[in-house]
């Protein structure tokens, strides 16, 4: 306990010292205070005023955050910041804390901040007399012979008191009686114990039992005590020895007799009464251990019974010595002997000895192959020693004998390790005795494997569904296959056959782990590019020769909503002056035009809706939600404007939805000439329109200048590269290992990374401030991803190419 308290104080002081070093505080105080309180003090009781005892300022306690730090799991004390008093927080049991150690102390630290100060405090827990002495049992019983002489001592069980000092056990008292007195002694550790001392001889015939009361008293005020009853049985003295009714007993028993069979019953008597007349039977001390293993003697009745296995071939006669002893203090003893004859029977079972076993056996072993050699023996003679051997039915093995009691175990049919990998063959040997005895022996024959099974799979074809735009390199499917063979014959290797027509395409998109059959997508898949892949997986085992199986795996690329709707009509590259005309006399629900759009996705992702976002007069026109038809919502009025601009949102139903917009201008006129006249009549004098025309003109000029500068720069760079490549070519003729010159571009088409048909077209509108890049779909499937991925990977510099020029997105690792 002291060592534990020391460790707790050391940990606390180490933590405080670490806090001092970390916080950089250079001033701290060290002092020690000591208090004493009795145990079981109520919670909230005051221990002492730490503020007064340490000379602290009470008003600064809240700022200095005074706290009590202890090393144990319980905090027995706490400080009141308002009064500075140290009070009891938890119940304190001195016996629980310190046991019998005295004095019992609790150490803790008082920590203050601003500045940081540390004070050590110790509270001594004083013992109170709160525990009664206690005996280990409520009753003591002693047996004392009436022949015991006066002065004999009998130690008594001691009482225990957890209190210490004067509150601990101090003395014992014995109730008044004529025969015993009490002698109280002190041990080396100061504890008390008592002894009964016989003062007057006992007489069992006069008083066969005595009842005494022993009381233990501690030294508390008031004292506490405990009592225990002592029962003393007066034993009779033994003055008569037992006598057997005959000195020799004879019996015979068969060697196959079951255990607990009665062999002979011995009998003795004693003239004494009580324990002195009670007889206990036992084997004499010189009885051999073998006899004790084979026979059992009942100590109360004297019956001799069979305990072990009697064997005529080992011993035919036993001479057993038995003694009878009474239970007196000085017991008397009588002796006799029992002669037991063993009768021979057929009690020896045959014994099977396996001399050699050829295991494991190849599963292609021919019938008649010798597996094991065995021999049988029987210690009996005549018919009891004649032995025959048998095998169970239904196994591909047989027994043959060429010599007496020698057998060969052979195969009689073909073996198959995949059906039965091992045979635990039971060989039964039976003699011809009556009753017949038999023995069994287990022969474990293992069947070794040969590569006679091709790989197997739950199904020969698999269908895998993978969402497009998957993460490159991520596994998409695991081909399940196994081989019922063992070890190397069952080790499987997976590969994708390359002799199929689609192997070249599949090989660029997918790979398979040769060890576990995990198929991974090498690049991101595009439903709009290729919707289905079919591959043949070749599964081969590791046997010699190897066996294989072909599986078909079909990968379906499911669609994601990764394409925005495209507007076909009006054409996205049409002039902003493209008009739709209607007559001023048209009626309501007259179809003016039809917006045509399509979505490269499929299914629900390609289902389009048309929504009128903005119009010159929203009450005049309506748009069919799914048809895209623009129709009049009412009869035209004279006050309606001659020109109407409609902005229509085209949205698909994917998740999340993708959308595009289209702008349509509708002129109200009878003829096209009137429509143009009306358009020219629109007042161009508005300031905002003038500013717009000015900025558009300025933008066209700046774009043109930038274009010509870019053309000149590209021409210079091309000329420089041509000169440099010419110098490298000329230098390579003079040196076989010449250093290659710098290069800045790798042709991905010639290098095999991108197919030659993977080109895109760039279209720019003439009346827009933004450049719209449209990458057309390749003529053949692209191994590098979808059109959308191609557009995303295009460099921003491509947006400055002229209208109609061809451009393409670089392949991974290509420098443009």
């Amino acid at each position: 306990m002291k060592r534990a308290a020391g460790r707790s104080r050391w940990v606390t002081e180490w933590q405080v010292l670490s806090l001092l070093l970390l916080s950089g505080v250079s001033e701290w105080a060290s002092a020690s205070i000591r208090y004493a309180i009795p145990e079981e003090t109520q919670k909230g009781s005051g221990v002492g005023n730490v503020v007064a005892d340490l000379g602290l300022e009470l008003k600064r306690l809240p700022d200095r955050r005074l706290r009590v730090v202890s090393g144990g799991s319980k905090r027995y004390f706490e400080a009141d910041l308002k009064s500075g008093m140290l009070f009891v927080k938890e119940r304190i049991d001195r016996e629980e804390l310190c046991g019998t150690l005295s004095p019992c102390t609790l150490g803790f630290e008082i920590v203050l901040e601003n500045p940081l100060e540390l004070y050590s405090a110790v509270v001594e827990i004083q013992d109170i007399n709160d525990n009664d002495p206690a005996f280990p049992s409520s009753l003591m019983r002693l047996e004392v012979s009436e022949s015991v002489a006066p002065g004999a001592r009998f130690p008594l069980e001691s009482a225990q008191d957890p209190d210490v000092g004067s509150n601990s056990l101090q003395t014992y008292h014995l109730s008044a009686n004529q025969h015993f007195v009490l002698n109280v002694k002190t041990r080396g550790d100061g504890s008390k114990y008592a002894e009964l001392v016989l003062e007057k001889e006992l007489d069992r015939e006069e008083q066969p039992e005595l009842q005494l009361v022993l009381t233990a008293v501690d030294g508390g005020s008031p004292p506490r005590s405990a009592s225990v009853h002592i029962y003393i049985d007066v034993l009779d003295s033994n003055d008569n020895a037992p006598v057997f009714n005959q000195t020799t007993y004879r019996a015979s028993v068969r060697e196959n007799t079951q255990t607990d069979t009665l062999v002979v019953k011995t009998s003795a008597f004693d003239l004494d009464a009580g324990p002195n007349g009670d007889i206990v039977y036992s084997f004499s001390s010189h009885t051999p251990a073998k006899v004790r293993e084979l026979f059992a003697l009942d100590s109360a009745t004297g019956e001799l019974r069979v305990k072990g296995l009697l064997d005529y071939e080992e011993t035919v006669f036993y001479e057993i010595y038995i003694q009878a002893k009474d239970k007196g203090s000085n017991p008397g003893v009588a002796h006799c002997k029992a002669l037991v004859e063993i009768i021979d029977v057929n009690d020896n079972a045959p014994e099977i000895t396996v001399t050699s076993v050829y295991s494991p056996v190849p599963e292609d072993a021919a019938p008649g192959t010798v597996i094991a050699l065995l021999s049988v023996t029987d210690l009996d003679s005549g018919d009891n020693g004649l032995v025959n051997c048998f095998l169970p039915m239904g196994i591909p093995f047989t027994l043959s004998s060429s010599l007496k009691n020698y057998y060969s175990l052979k195969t009689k049919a073909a073996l198959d390790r995949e059906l039965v990998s091992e045979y635990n063959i039971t060989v039964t040997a039976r003699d011809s005795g009556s009753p017949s005895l038999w023995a069994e022996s287990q022969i474990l024959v293992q069947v070794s494997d040969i590569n006679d099974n091709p790989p197997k799979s739950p199904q020969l074809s698999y269908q895998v569904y993978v969402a497009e735009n998957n993460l490159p390199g991520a596994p998409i499917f695991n081909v399940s296959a196994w081989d019922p063979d063992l070890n190397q014959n069952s080790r499987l290797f997976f590969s994708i056959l390359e002799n199929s027509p689609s192997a070249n395409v599949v090989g660029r998109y997918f790979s398979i782990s040769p060890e576990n059959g995990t198929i991974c997508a090498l690049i991101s898949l595009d439903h709009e590019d290729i919707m289905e892949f079919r591959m043949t997986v070749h599964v081969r085992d590791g046997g010699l020769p190897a066996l294989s199986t072909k599986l078909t795996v079909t990968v379906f690329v499911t669609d994601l909503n990764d394409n925005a709707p495209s507007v076909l009509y009006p054409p996205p590259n049409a002039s902003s002056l493209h008009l739709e005309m209607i007559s001023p006399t048209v009626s309501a629900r007259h179809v003016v035009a039809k917006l045509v759009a399509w979505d490269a996705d499929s299914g629900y992702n390609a289902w389009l809706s048309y929504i009128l976002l903005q119009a010159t007069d929203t009450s005049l026109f309506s748009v069919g939600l799914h048809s895209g038809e623009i129709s009049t919502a009412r009869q035209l009025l004279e006050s309606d404007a001659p020109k109407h601009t409609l902005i229509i949102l085209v949205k698909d139903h994917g998740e999340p939805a993708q959308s595009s917009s289209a702008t349509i201008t509708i002129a109200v006129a009878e003829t096209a000439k009137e429509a143009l006249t009306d358009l020219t009549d629109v007042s161009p004098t508005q300031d905002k329109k003038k500013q717009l025309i000015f900025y558009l003109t300025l933008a066209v000029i700046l774009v043109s200048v930038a274009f010509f500068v870019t053309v000149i720069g590209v021409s210079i760079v091309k000329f420089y590269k041509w000169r440099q490549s010419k110098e490298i070519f000329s230098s390579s003729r003079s040196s076989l290992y010449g250093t290659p010159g710098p290069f800045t571009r790798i042709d991905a088409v010639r290098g095999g990374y991108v197919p030659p048909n993977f080109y895109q077209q760039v279209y720019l509108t003439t009346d827009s401030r933004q450049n719209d890049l449209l990458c057309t779909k390749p003529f053949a499937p692209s191994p590098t991803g979808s059109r959308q991925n191609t557009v995303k990977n295009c460099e921003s510099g491509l947006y400055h190419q002229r209208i109609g020029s061809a451009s393409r997105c670089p392949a991974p690792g290509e420098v443009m």
Side-chain angles (χ1 to χ4, degrees), residues 164-186:
V164 296
S166 61
N167 294 327
S168 63
L169 180 65
Q170 297 298 319
T171 187
Y172 293 91
H173 300 294
L174 185 66
S175 60
N177 66 93
Q178 299 179 358
H179 298 278
F180 293 94
V181 294
L182 191 64
N183 185 14
V184 180
K185 292 186 177 182
T186 304

Side-chain angles (χ1 to χ4, degrees), residues 77-155:
F77 303 101
E78 191 60 83
D80 186 359
L81 299 182
K82 295 182 179 180
S83 62
M85 286 295 295
L86 183 70
F87 61 89
V88 177
K89 184 180 179 182
E90 297 287 343
R91 173 182 175 270
I92 302 176
D93 187 354
R94 193 207 64 80
E95 288 76 26
E96 180 182 346
L97 291 174
C98 303
T100 59
L101 296 179
S102 181
C104 178
T105 59
L106 281 176
F108 55 90
E109 284 73 34
I110 300 174
V111 181
L112 297 97
E113 298 180 2
N114 300 320
L116 184 63
E117 294 180 343
L118 174 67
Y119 299 95
S120 177
V122 176
V123 177
E124 180 181 351
I125 309 303
Q126 298 175 344
D127 183 51
I128 63 174
N129 191 23
D130 58 342
N131 292 282
D132 294 329
F135 285 95
S137 60
S138 60
L139 177 67
M140 294 186 192
R141 183 173 293 277
L142 298 177
E143 293 182 350
V144 181
S145 176
E146 62 179 337
S147 61
V148 174
R153 295 176 177 270
F154 302 93

Side-chain angles (χ1 to χ4, degrees), residues 24-41:
V25 177
S26 59
E27 296 181 359
W28 64 292
S30 177
S32 177
I33 55 176
R34 189 180 184 90
Y35 300 102
I37 61 171
E39 64 174 327
E40 304 293 345
T41 300

Side-chain angles (χ1 to χ4, degrees), residues 350-356 370 372-378 385-390 398-410 427-429 443:
E351 294 183 0
I352 303 174
T353 303
V354 180
T355 58
S356 61
V370 178
L373 297 176
L374 51 94
S375 62
V376 293
T377 56
D378 194 319
L386 183 61
V387 180
N388 294 312
C389 292
F390 309 93
T398 184
L399 283 174
S400 62
S401 177
S402 57
L403 297 174
K404 181 181 180 181
N405 293 340
Y406 284 89
Y407 293 87
S408 298
L409 179 64
K410 301 179 181 180
V427 180
T428 303
I443 300 178

Side-chain angles (χ1 to χ4, degrees), residues 316-371:
V316 299
F317 183 81
Y318 293 94
E319 186 173 349
I320 305 172
Y321 292 89
I322 301 173
Q323 66 180 15
K325 182 187 296 186
D326 61 29
K327 297 181 180 180
S329 57
N330 295 312
V333 181
H335 297 276
C336 73
K337 63 180 178 180
L339 304 178
V340 180
E341 180 183 4
I342 307 301
I343 301 174
D344 184 35
V345 293
N346 183 28
D347 60 340
N348 291 285
E351 294 183 0
I352 303 174
T353 303
V354 180
T355 58
S356 61
V357 178
Y358 174 58
S359 178
V361 182
E363 59 180 325
D364 59 347
T369 301
V370 178
I371 305 301

